[in-house]
Amino acid sequence: MTSHPDFNKETNGTDAAKAFATQIRGKTILITGASPNGLGQATAHAIAGNAPGLIIISGRSQAKLDETAAGLRKSFPSVPVRILIVDLGSFKSIRTAAAEVNAYPEDIDVLINNAGVMAIAERQLTEDGLEMQFGTNHIGHFLFTNLILGKLEATAAKSSTPGSTRIINLSSFGHQLGPVRFSDPNFEGKKELPSEEVANWDLIKSFYKIEKTNGYEAWASYGQAKTANVLFALSLRDHLYKRGILSFAVHPGGINTDLSRNMSSELYDGLMNIMDPNSFKTHDQGVSTTIVAAFDPKLDEKSGPYFDDCQVGQPNPWATNAKSAEKLWTLSEEIVGQKFPL
């Protein structure tokens, strides 16, 4: 149960942030993926109206982050804004950015893992050889989060309010499209998958005409990445709550952002054909669930791990399986080549 059961899909992020102004005031919040016309930018604006101590916005493009920062400074001149360059598809870039964060004199109170890519039409690889959606949406955030986790733990240890230090992962209803393919997370398609790793082909086929395959398919890949976001939050919540850190995953809803930039016209048109045009949220509405998950003081280790329309949601069971969460953690450690014991 949240503090505001009246909040719903129409709730604006700015209104939700005002409701949690006390929890925001003076805090340092780091948001990944804060480019213009995105949810990261809208999240920063919602938070900035409530006197945070510092907002750190991160992304790959200096120019885009400069634009977001300029907008924040114009609207909220008293709020400090800092830019962090990081490419979540590059282990080298992630390690460089994490070292920079760890050197900050300020605490980090809330980490919002907002960055992501969606439904890339053709299989692409990160510079480290990972399938792009899984590599960027999950593995990149897994490595970055763990590399700065000590800083978050230090913040939590000093806090008089256990659970106010938080890690929020942006997932999606799209997690329903498929589980994590532990046998073939890179979508090489060289072998048959166990039944529990097969994508939700009935749902995928409702988008467009496609034959079932063991190889790459844009929506199956997106489903794997978004499922991983929930499982990652589950692992963090269950292992860190005793140290004063909570973690949740959120489905922001359908919002017209630049997230669709990598989709083919076939994929985009198929998605639009099954979505109710009236169901789309504004950017401000699209960040309200993130705000609730990040700041609602009523949430605890039994809450979530998945939120939808500002309330606790009902994810697919493959996204809340504790054994799958442990298995994903181990797989992620193997991929990044570093152990992160909790």
PDB file of all heavy atoms in Angstrom, residues 270-307:
ATOM      1  N   GLY A 270       2.790  -1.557 -35.732  1.00  0.00           N
ATOM      2  CA  GLY A 270       2.168  -2.679 -35.047  1.00  0.00           C
ATOM      3  C   GLY A 270       1.828  -2.353 -33.613  1.00  0.00           C
ATOM      4  O   GLY A 270       0.756  -2.716 -33.101  1.00  0.00           O
ATOM      5  N   LEU A 271       2.740  -1.643 -32.948  1.00  0.00           N
ATOM      6  CA  LEU A 271       2.498  -1.244 -31.567  1.00  0.00           C
ATOM      7  C   LEU A 271       1.324  -0.269 -31.489  1.00  0.00           C
ATOM      8  O   LEU A 271       0.441  -0.401 -30.624  1.00  0.00           O
ATOM      9  CB  LEU A 271       3.755  -0.600 -30.988  1.00  0.00           C
ATOM     10  CG  LEU A 271       3.663  -0.068 -29.556  1.00  0.00           C
ATOM     11  CD1 LEU A 271       3.357  -1.197 -28.582  1.00  0.00           C
ATOM     12  CD2 LEU A 271       4.956   0.632 -29.161  1.00  0.00           C
ATOM     13  N   MET A 272       1.292   0.696 -32.385  1.00  0.00           N
ATOM     14  CA  MET A 272       0.218   1.691 -32.375  1.00  0.00           C
ATOM     15  C   MET A 272      -1.143   1.065 -32.678  1.00  0.00           C
ATOM     16  O   MET A 272      -2.171   1.525 -32.183  1.00  0.00           O
ATOM     17  CB  MET A 272       0.505   2.803 -33.394  1.00  0.00           C
ATOM     18  CG  MET A 272       1.702   3.679 -33.050  1.00  0.00           C
ATOM     19  SD  MET A 272       1.583   4.503 -31.438  1.00  0.00           S
ATOM     20  CE  MET A 272       2.660   3.458 -30.447  1.00  0.00           C
ATOM     21  N   ASN A 273      -1.136   0.008 -33.473  1.00  0.00           N
ATOM     22  CA  ASN A 273      -2.397  -0.634 -33.852  1.00  0.00           C
ATOM     23  C   ASN A 273      -3.100  -1.295 -32.672  1.00  0.00           C
ATOM     24  O   ASN A 273      -4.329  -1.446 -32.672  1.00  0.00           O
ATOM     25  CB  ASN A 273      -2.158  -1.683 -34.953  1.00  0.00           C
ATOM     26  CG  ASN A 273      -1.929  -1.051 -36.312  1.00  0.00           C
ATOM     27  OD1 ASN A 273      -2.327   0.084 -36.548  1.00  0.00           O
ATOM     28  ND2 ASN A 273      -1.271  -1.775 -37.201  1.00  0.00           N
ATOM     29  N   ILE A 274      -2.335  -1.718 -31.672  1.00  0.00           N
ATOM     30  CA  ILE A 274      -2.965  -2.409 -30.539  1.00  0.00           C
ATOM     31  C   ILE A 274      -3.123  -1.503 -29.316  1.00  0.00           C
ATOM     32  O   ILE A 274      -3.727  -1.901 -28.322  1.00  0.00           O
ATOM     33  CB  ILE A 274      -2.179  -3.671 -30.123  1.00  0.00           C
ATOM     34  CG1 ILE A 274      -0.828  -3.289 -29.513  1.00  0.00           C
ATOM     35  CG2 ILE A 274      -2.013  -4.624 -31.288  1.00  0.00           C
ATOM     36  CD1 ILE A 274      -0.177  -4.428 -28.789  1.00  0.00           C
ATOM     37  N   MET A 275      -2.586  -0.288 -29.396  1.00  0.00           N
ATOM     38  CA  MET A 275      -2.698   0.628 -28.266  1.00  0.00           C
ATOM     39  C   MET A 275      -3.855   1.597 -28.459  1.00  0.00           C
ATOM     40  O   MET A 275      -4.092   2.095 -29.556  1.00  0.00           O
ATOM     41  CB  MET A 275      -1.394   1.413 -28.061  1.00  0.00           C
ATOM     42  CG  MET A 275      -0.243   0.558 -27.590  1.00  0.00           C
ATOM     43  SD  MET A 275       1.163   1.537 -27.011  1.00  0.00           S
ATOM     44  CE  MET A 275       0.506   2.205 -25.479  1.00  0.00           C
ATOM     45  N   ASP A 276      -4.560   1.844 -27.398  1.00  0.00           N
ATOM     46  CA  ASP A 276      -5.634   2.829 -27.402  1.00  0.00           C
ATOM     47  C   ASP A 276      -5.005   4.222 -27.368  1.00  0.00           C
ATOM     48  O   ASP A 276      -4.276   4.546 -26.417  1.00  0.00           O
ATOM     49  CB  ASP A 276      -6.524   2.616 -26.177  1.00  0.00           C
ATOM     50  CG  ASP A 276      -7.638   3.643 -26.071  1.00  0.00           C
ATOM     51  OD1 ASP A 276      -7.739   4.522 -26.952  1.00  0.00           O
ATOM     52  OD2 ASP A 276      -8.411   3.557 -25.093  1.00  0.00           O
ATOM     53  N   PRO A 277      -5.260   5.045 -28.388  1.00  0.00           N
ATOM     54  CA  PRO A 277      -4.663   6.386 -28.399  1.00  0.00           C
ATOM     55  C   PRO A 277      -4.984   7.179 -27.137  1.00  0.00           C
ATOM     56  O   PRO A 277      -4.203   8.038 -26.715  1.00  0.00           O
ATOM     57  CB  PRO A 277      -5.281   7.039 -29.637  1.00  0.00           C
ATOM     58  CG  PRO A 277      -5.694   5.898 -30.507  1.00  0.00           C
ATOM     59  CD  PRO A 277      -6.090   4.795 -29.566  1.00  0.00           C
ATOM     60  N   ASN A 278      -6.115   6.905 -26.518  1.00  0.00           N
ATOM     61  CA  ASN A 278      -6.513   7.629 -25.309  1.00  0.00           C
ATOM     62  C   ASN A 278      -5.760   7.151 -24.067  1.00  0.00           C
ATOM     63  O   ASN A 278      -5.901   7.751 -22.994  1.00  0.00           O
ATOM     64  CB  ASN A 278      -8.019   7.481 -25.080  1.00  0.00           C
ATOM     65  CG  ASN A 278      -8.833   8.107 -26.201  1.00  0.00           C
ATOM     66  OD1 ASN A 278      -8.505   9.184 -26.685  1.00  0.00           O
ATOM     67  ND2 ASN A 278      -9.896   7.428 -26.617  1.00  0.00           N
ATOM     68  N   SER A 279      -5.007   6.052 -24.218  1.00  0.00           N
ATOM     69  CA  SER A 279      -4.294   5.515 -23.057  1.00  0.00           C
ATOM     70  C   SER A 279      -2.930   6.157 -22.863  1.00  0.00           C
ATOM     71  O   SER A 279      -2.295   5.959 -21.824  1.00  0.00           O
ATOM     72  CB  SER A 279      -4.121   3.992 -23.207  1.00  0.00           C
ATOM     73  OG  SER A 279      -3.185   3.690 -24.231  1.00  0.00           O
ATOM     74  N   PHE A 280      -2.474   6.949 -23.845  1.00  0.00           N
ATOM     75  CA  PHE A 280      -1.153   7.557 -23.728  1.00  0.00           C
ATOM     76  C   PHE A 280      -1.128   8.600 -22.615  1.00  0.00           C
ATOM     77  O   PHE A 280      -2.080   9.364 -22.432  1.00  0.00           O
ATOM     78  CB  PHE A 280      -0.729   8.202 -25.042  1.00  0.00           C
ATOM     79  CG  PHE A 280      -0.085   7.242 -25.992  1.00  0.00           C
ATOM     80  CD1 PHE A 280      -0.841   6.501 -26.875  1.00  0.00           C
ATOM     81  CD2 PHE A 280       1.288   7.073 -25.984  1.00  0.00           C
ATOM     82  CE1 PHE A 280      -0.248   5.602 -27.745  1.00  0.00           C
ATOM     83  CE2 PHE A 280       1.900   6.184 -26.848  1.00  0.00           C
ATOM     84  CZ  PHE A 280       1.127   5.441 -27.730  1.00  0.00           C
ATOM     85  N   LYS A 281      -0.040   8.619 -21.896  1.00  0.00           N
ATOM     86  CA  LYS A 281       0.163   9.589 -20.835  1.00  0.00           C
ATOM     87  C   LYS A 281       1.001  10.760 -21.342  1.00  0.00           C
ATOM     88  O   LYS A 281       1.769  10.633 -22.302  1.00  0.00           O
ATOM     89  CB  LYS A 281       0.899   8.951 -19.656  1.00  0.00           C
ATOM     90  CG  LYS A 281       0.149   7.834 -18.947  1.00  0.00           C
ATOM     91  CD  LYS A 281       0.982   7.311 -17.783  1.00  0.00           C
ATOM     92  CE  LYS A 281       0.260   6.230 -17.005  1.00  0.00           C
ATOM     93  NZ  LYS A 281       1.046   5.748 -15.839  1.00  0.00           N
ATOM     94  N   THR A 282       0.881  11.892 -20.661  1.00  0.00           N
ATOM     95  CA  THR A 282       1.809  12.986 -20.894  1.00  0.00           C
ATOM     96  C   THR A 282       3.144  12.619 -20.245  1.00  0.00           C
ATOM     97  O   THR A 282       3.233  11.677 -19.447  1.00  0.00           O
ATOM     98  CB  THR A 282       1.291  14.281 -20.264  1.00  0.00           C
ATOM     99  OG1 THR A 282       1.263  14.122 -18.833  1.00  0.00           O
ATOM    100  CG2 THR A 282      -0.111  14.619 -20.762  1.00  0.00           C
ATOM    101  N   HIS A 283       4.177  13.360 -20.566  1.00  0.00           N
ATOM    102  CA  HIS A 283       5.471  13.121 -19.924  1.00  0.00           C
ATOM    103  C   HIS A 283       5.353  13.265 -18.407  1.00  0.00           C
ATOM    104  O   HIS A 283       5.939  12.476 -17.651  1.00  0.00           O
ATOM    105  CB  HIS A 283       6.524  14.101 -20.457  1.00  0.00           C
ATOM    106  CG  HIS A 283       7.025  13.773 -21.827  1.00  0.00           C
ATOM    107  ND1 HIS A 283       6.211  13.651 -22.919  1.00  0.00           N
ATOM    108  CD2 HIS A 283       8.282  13.512 -22.282  1.00  0.00           C
ATOM    109  CE1 HIS A 283       6.933  13.355 -23.989  1.00  0.00           C
ATOM    110  NE2 HIS A 283       8.195  13.254 -23.621  1.00  0.00           N
ATOM    111  N   ASP A 284       4.620  14.274 -17.972  1.00  0.00           N
ATOM    112  CA  ASP A 284       4.476  14.510 -16.537  1.00  0.00           C
ATOM    113  C   ASP A 284       3.745  13.349 -15.862  1.00  0.00           C
ATOM    114  O   ASP A 284       4.145  12.891 -14.782  1.00  0.00           O
ATOM    115  CB  ASP A 284       3.718  15.822 -16.313  1.00  0.00           C
ATOM    116  CG  ASP A 284       3.866  16.346 -14.893  1.00  0.00           C
ATOM    117  OD1 ASP A 284       4.783  15.892 -14.180  1.00  0.00           O
ATOM    118  OD2 ASP A 284       3.079  17.226 -14.503  1.00  0.00           O
ATOM    119  N   GLN A 285       2.698  12.849 -16.498  1.00  0.00           N
ATOM    120  CA  GLN A 285       2.010  11.677 -15.950  1.00  0.00           C
ATOM    121  C   GLN A 285       2.907  10.442 -15.978  1.00  0.00           C
ATOM    122  O   GLN A 285       2.835   9.589 -15.098  1.00  0.00           O
ATOM    123  CB  GLN A 285       0.732  11.412 -16.750  1.00  0.00           C
ATOM    124  CG  GLN A 285      -0.357  12.447 -16.561  1.00  0.00           C
ATOM    125  CD  GLN A 285      -1.509  12.260 -17.544  1.00  0.00           C
ATOM    126  OE1 GLN A 285      -1.335  11.695 -18.627  1.00  0.00           O
ATOM    127  NE2 GLN A 285      -2.684  12.750 -17.177  1.00  0.00           N
ATOM    128  N   GLY A 286       3.766  10.373 -16.978  1.00  0.00           N
ATOM    129  CA  GLY A 286       4.613   9.203 -17.147  1.00  0.00           C
ATOM    130  C   GLY A 286       5.696   9.056 -16.090  1.00  0.00           C
ATOM    131  O   GLY A 286       6.283   7.979 -15.961  1.00  0.00           O
ATOM    132  N   VAL A 287       5.975  10.107 -15.324  1.00  0.00           N
ATOM    133  CA  VAL A 287       7.027  10.006 -14.300  1.00  0.00           C
ATOM    134  C   VAL A 287       6.452   9.897 -12.893  1.00  0.00           C
ATOM    135  O   VAL A 287       7.209   9.752 -11.924  1.00  0.00           O
ATOM    136  CB  VAL A 287       8.011  11.194 -14.373  1.00  0.00           C
ATOM    137  CG1 VAL A 287       8.599  11.287 -15.769  1.00  0.00           C
ATOM    138  CG2 VAL A 287       7.359  12.503 -13.969  1.00  0.00           C
ATOM    139  N   SER A 288       5.145   9.951 -12.751  1.00  0.00           N
ATOM    140  CA  SER A 288       4.553   9.934 -11.413  1.00  0.00           C
ATOM    141  C   SER A 288       4.828   8.633 -10.664  1.00  0.00           C
ATOM    142  O   SER A 288       5.089   8.646  -9.450  1.00  0.00           O
ATOM    143  CB  SER A 288       3.037  10.175 -11.491  1.00  0.00           C
ATOM    144  OG  SER A 288       2.403   9.215 -12.314  1.00  0.00           O
ATOM    145  N   THR A 289       4.817   7.505 -11.366  1.00  0.00           N
ATOM    146  CA  THR A 289       5.072   6.231 -10.696  1.00  0.00           C
ATOM    147  C   THR A 289       6.519   6.165 -10.215  1.00  0.00           C
ATOM    148  O   THR A 289       6.802   5.632  -9.130  1.00  0.00           O
ATOM    149  CB  THR A 289       4.754   5.052 -11.634  1.00  0.00           C
ATOM    150  OG1 THR A 289       3.404   5.177 -12.102  1.00  0.00           O
ATOM    151  CG2 THR A 289       4.888   3.722 -10.901  1.00  0.00           C
ATOM    152  N   THR A 290       7.429   6.707 -10.988  1.00  0.00           N
ATOM    153  CA  THR A 290       8.831   6.781 -10.563  1.00  0.00           C
ATOM    154  C   THR A 290       8.960   7.613  -9.291  1.00  0.00           C
ATOM    155  O   THR A 290       9.680   7.238  -8.353  1.00  0.00           O
ATOM    156  CB  THR A 290       9.694   7.396 -11.676  1.00  0.00           C
ATOM    157  OG1 THR A 290       9.643   6.561 -12.833  1.00  0.00           O
ATOM    158  CG2 THR A 290      11.140   7.553 -11.234  1.00  0.00           C
ATOM    159  N   ILE A 291       8.265   8.734  -9.245  1.00  0.00           N
ATOM    160  CA  ILE A 291       8.312   9.611  -8.070  1.00  0.00           C
ATOM    161  C   ILE A 291       7.785   8.890  -6.834  1.00  0.00           C
ATOM    162  O   ILE A 291       8.384   8.965  -5.747  1.00  0.00           O
ATOM    163  CB  ILE A 291       7.512  10.906  -8.325  1.00  0.00           C
ATOM    164  CG1 ILE A 291       8.114  11.699  -9.492  1.00  0.00           C
ATOM    165  CG2 ILE A 291       7.428  11.744  -7.064  1.00  0.00           C
ATOM    166  CD1 ILE A 291       9.505  12.210  -9.265  1.00  0.00           C
ATOM    167  N   VAL A 292       6.682   8.177  -6.980  1.00  0.00           N
ATOM    168  CA  VAL A 292       6.125   7.418  -5.854  1.00  0.00           C
ATOM    169  C   VAL A 292       7.127   6.385  -5.359  1.00  0.00           C
ATOM    170  O   VAL A 292       7.404   6.274  -4.157  1.00  0.00           O
ATOM    171  CB  VAL A 292       4.799   6.739  -6.258  1.00  0.00           C
ATOM    172  CG1 VAL A 292       4.342   5.740  -5.182  1.00  0.00           C
ATOM    173  CG2 VAL A 292       3.710   7.774  -6.492  1.00  0.00           C
ATOM    174  N   ALA A 293       7.682   5.614  -6.285  1.00  0.00           N
ATOM    175  CA  ALA A 293       8.625   4.556  -5.898  1.00  0.00           C
ATOM    176  C   ALA A 293       9.877   5.129  -5.247  1.00  0.00           C
ATOM    177  O   ALA A 293      10.454   4.527  -4.334  1.00  0.00           O
ATOM    178  CB  ALA A 293       9.000   3.726  -7.120  1.00  0.00           C
ATOM    179  N   ALA A 294      10.293   6.295  -5.680  1.00  0.00           N
ATOM    180  CA  ALA A 294      11.533   6.883  -5.182  1.00  0.00           C
ATOM    181  C   ALA A 294      11.383   7.580  -3.833  1.00  0.00           C
ATOM    182  O   ALA A 294      12.356   7.645  -3.064  1.00  0.00           O
ATOM    183  CB  ALA A 294      12.076   7.882  -6.208  1.00  0.00           C
ATOM    184  N   PHE A 295      10.180   8.085  -3.529  1.00  0.00           N
ATOM    185  CA  PHE A 295      10.076   8.956  -2.357  1.00  0.00           C
ATOM    186  C   PHE A 295       8.958   8.636  -1.373  1.00  0.00           C
ATOM    187  O   PHE A 295       8.961   9.202  -0.266  1.00  0.00           O
ATOM    188  CB  PHE A 295       9.930  10.411  -2.824  1.00  0.00           C
ATOM    189  CG  PHE A 295      11.085  10.905  -3.641  1.00  0.00           C
ATOM    190  CD1 PHE A 295      10.957  11.105  -5.001  1.00  0.00           C
ATOM    191  CD2 PHE A 295      12.311  11.146  -3.046  1.00  0.00           C
ATOM    192  CE1 PHE A 295      12.026  11.550  -5.773  1.00  0.00           C
ATOM    193  CE2 PHE A 295      13.394  11.590  -3.808  1.00  0.00           C
ATOM    194  CZ  PHE A 295      13.252  11.803  -5.168  1.00  0.00           C
ATOM    195  N   ASP A 296       8.015   7.798  -1.715  1.00  0.00           N
ATOM    196  CA  ASP A 296       6.908   7.530  -0.788  1.00  0.00           C
ATOM    197  C   ASP A 296       7.451   6.910   0.503  1.00  0.00           C
ATOM    198  O   ASP A 296       8.009   5.805   0.480  1.00  0.00           O
ATOM    199  CB  ASP A 296       5.903   6.581  -1.447  1.00  0.00           C
ATOM    200  CG  ASP A 296       4.626   6.421  -0.630  1.00  0.00           C
ATOM    201  OD1 ASP A 296       4.643   6.693   0.587  1.00  0.00           O
ATOM    202  OD2 ASP A 296       3.606   6.009  -1.210  1.00  0.00           O
ATOM    203  N   PRO A 297       7.288   7.573   1.648  1.00  0.00           N
ATOM    204  CA  PRO A 297       7.858   7.059   2.898  1.00  0.00           C
ATOM    205  C   PRO A 297       7.138   5.830   3.449  1.00  0.00           C
ATOM    206  O   PRO A 297       7.664   5.173   4.353  1.00  0.00           O
ATOM    207  CB  PRO A 297       7.718   8.248   3.860  1.00  0.00           C
ATOM    208  CG  PRO A 297       6.527   8.997   3.339  1.00  0.00           C
ATOM    209  CD  PRO A 297       6.613   8.866   1.843  1.00  0.00           C
ATOM    210  N   LYS A 298       5.967   5.521   2.905  1.00  0.00           N
ATOM    211  CA  LYS A 298       5.221   4.369   3.415  1.00  0.00           C
ATOM    212  C   LYS A 298       5.748   3.049   2.867  1.00  0.00           C
ATOM    213  O   LYS A 298       5.456   1.980   3.404  1.00  0.00           O
ATOM    214  CB  LYS A 298       3.734   4.517   3.082  1.00  0.00           C
ATOM    215  CG  LYS A 298       2.836   3.525   3.813  1.00  0.00           C
ATOM    216  CD  LYS A 298       1.368   3.843   3.622  1.00  0.00           C
ATOM    217  CE  LYS A 298       0.497   2.866   4.415  1.00  0.00           C
ATOM    218  NZ  LYS A 298      -0.951   3.197   4.264  1.00  0.00           N
ATOM    219  N   LEU A 299       6.535   3.093   1.813  1.00  0.00           N
ATOM    220  CA  LEU A 299       7.034   1.870   1.193  1.00  0.00           C
ATOM    221  C   LEU A 299       8.116   1.234   2.064  1.00  0.00           C
ATOM    222  O   LEU A 299       8.909   1.918   2.693  1.00  0.00           O
ATOM    223  CB  LEU A 299       7.591   2.162  -0.204  1.00  0.00           C
ATOM    224  CG  LEU A 299       6.627   2.842  -1.179  1.00  0.00           C
ATOM    225  CD1 LEU A 299       7.285   2.983  -2.549  1.00  0.00           C
ATOM    226  CD2 LEU A 299       5.309   2.088  -1.287  1.00  0.00           C
ATOM    227  N   ASP A 300       8.144  -0.093   2.061  1.00  0.00           N
ATOM    228  CA  ASP A 300       9.155  -0.820   2.822  1.00  0.00           C
ATOM    229  C   ASP A 300       9.603  -2.051   2.050  1.00  0.00           C
ATOM    230  O   ASP A 300       9.279  -2.192   0.852  1.00  0.00           O
ATOM    231  CB  ASP A 300       8.645  -1.196   4.219  1.00  0.00           C
ATOM    232  CG  ASP A 300       7.395  -2.063   4.187  1.00  0.00           C
ATOM    233  OD1 ASP A 300       7.142  -2.751   3.159  1.00  0.00           O
ATOM    234  OD2 ASP A 300       6.643  -2.068   5.185  1.00  0.00           O
ATOM    235  N   GLU A 301      10.334  -2.954   2.718  1.00  0.00           N
ATOM    236  CA  GLU A 301      10.892  -4.122   2.034  1.00  0.00           C
ATOM    237  C   GLU A 301       9.840  -5.111   1.563  1.00  0.00           C
ATOM    238  O   GLU A 301      10.131  -6.010   0.775  1.00  0.00           O
ATOM    239  CB  GLU A 301      11.903  -4.831   2.946  1.00  0.00           C
ATOM    240  CG  GLU A 301      11.298  -5.604   4.107  1.00  0.00           C
ATOM    241  CD  GLU A 301      11.003  -4.750   5.317  1.00  0.00           C
ATOM    242  OE1 GLU A 301      11.124  -3.499   5.214  1.00  0.00           O
ATOM    243  OE2 GLU A 301      10.655  -5.316   6.368  1.00  0.00           O
ATOM    244  N   LYS A 302       8.602  -4.947   2.023  1.00  0.00           N
ATOM    245  CA  LYS A 302       7.523  -5.823   1.586  1.00  0.00           C
ATOM    246  C   LYS A 302       6.728  -5.212   0.434  1.00  0.00           C
ATOM    247  O   LYS A 302       5.831  -5.853  -0.109  1.00  0.00           O
ATOM    248  CB  LYS A 302       6.593  -6.133   2.766  1.00  0.00           C
ATOM    249  CG  LYS A 302       7.278  -6.890   3.899  1.00  0.00           C
ATOM    250  CD  LYS A 302       6.324  -7.140   5.061  1.00  0.00           C
ATOM    251  CE  LYS A 302       7.029  -7.849   6.201  1.00  0.00           C
ATOM    252  NZ  LYS A 302       6.129  -8.060   7.366  1.00  0.00           N
ATOM    253  N   SER A 303       7.061  -3.993   0.071  1.00  0.00           N
ATOM    254  CA  SER A 303       6.357  -3.309  -1.017  1.00  0.00           C
ATOM    255  C   SER A 303       6.907  -3.746  -2.365  1.00  0.00           C
ATOM    256  O   SER A 303       8.072  -4.088  -2.492  1.00  0.00           O
ATOM    257  CB  SER A 303       6.520  -1.794  -0.870  1.00  0.00           C
ATOM    258  OG  SER A 303       6.060  -1.332   0.376  1.00  0.00           O
ATOM    259  N   GLY A 304       6.071  -3.653  -3.358  1.00  0.00           N
ATOM    260  CA  GLY A 304       6.518  -3.944  -4.724  1.00  0.00           C
ATOM    261  C   GLY A 304       6.714  -5.421  -4.982  1.00  0.00           C
ATOM    262  O   GLY A 304       5.953  -6.231  -4.472  1.00  0.00           O
ATOM    263  N   PRO A 305       7.728  -5.754  -5.815  1.00  0.00           N
ATOM    264  CA  PRO A 305       8.819  -4.888  -6.281  1.00  0.00           C
ATOM    265  C   PRO A 305       8.481  -4.070  -7.520  1.00  0.00           C
ATOM    266  O   PRO A 305       9.325  -3.330  -8.022  1.00  0.00           O
ATOM    267  CB  PRO A 305       9.925  -5.898  -6.600  1.00  0.00           C
ATOM    268  CG  PRO A 305       9.176  -7.096  -7.104  1.00  0.00           C
ATOM    269  CD  PRO A 305       7.931  -7.156  -6.251  1.00  0.00           C
ATOM    270  N   TYR A 306       7.231  -4.154  -8.000  1.00  0.00           N
ATOM    271  CA  TYR A 306       6.871  -3.575  -9.289  1.00  0.00           C
ATOM    272  C   TYR A 306       5.686  -2.638  -9.093  1.00  0.00           C
ATOM    273  O   TYR A 306       4.699  -3.000  -8.446  1.00  0.00           O
ATOM    274  CB  TYR A 306       6.521  -4.717 -10.246  1.00  0.00           C
ATOM    275  CG  TYR A 306       6.024  -4.353 -11.620  1.00  0.00           C
ATOM    276  CD1 TYR A 306       6.917  -4.033 -12.634  1.00  0.00           C
ATOM    277  CD2 TYR A 306       4.656  -4.367 -11.919  1.00  0.00           C
ATOM    278  CE1 TYR A 306       6.464  -3.738 -13.916  1.00  0.00           C
ATOM    279  CE2 TYR A 306       4.202  -4.073 -13.199  1.00  0.00           C
ATOM    280  CZ  TYR A 306       5.105  -3.752 -14.190  1.00  0.00           C
ATOM    281  OH  TYR A 306       4.662  -3.475 -15.454  1.00  0.00           O
ATOM    282  N   PHE A 307       5.810  -1.432  -9.673  1.00  0.00           N
ATOM    283  CA  PHE A 307       4.755  -0.426  -9.527  1.00  0.00           C
ATOM    284  C   PHE A 307       4.225  -0.017 -10.900  1.00  0.00           C
ATOM    285  O   PHE A 307       4.977   0.076 -11.868  1.00  0.00           O
ATOM    286  CB  PHE A 307       5.281   0.797  -8.776  1.00  0.00           C
ATOM    287  CG  PHE A 307       5.493   0.553  -7.310  1.00  0.00           C
ATOM    288  CD1 PHE A 307       6.616  -0.146  -6.866  1.00  0.00           C
ATOM    289  CD2 PHE A 307       4.579   0.986  -6.374  1.00  0.00           C
ATOM    290  CE1 PHE A 307       6.819  -0.385  -5.512  1.00  0.00           C
ATOM    291  CE2 PHE A 307       4.765   0.742  -5.018  1.00  0.00           C
ATOM    292  CZ  PHE A 307       5.879   0.055  -4.588  1.00  0.00           C
TER     293      PHE A 307
END
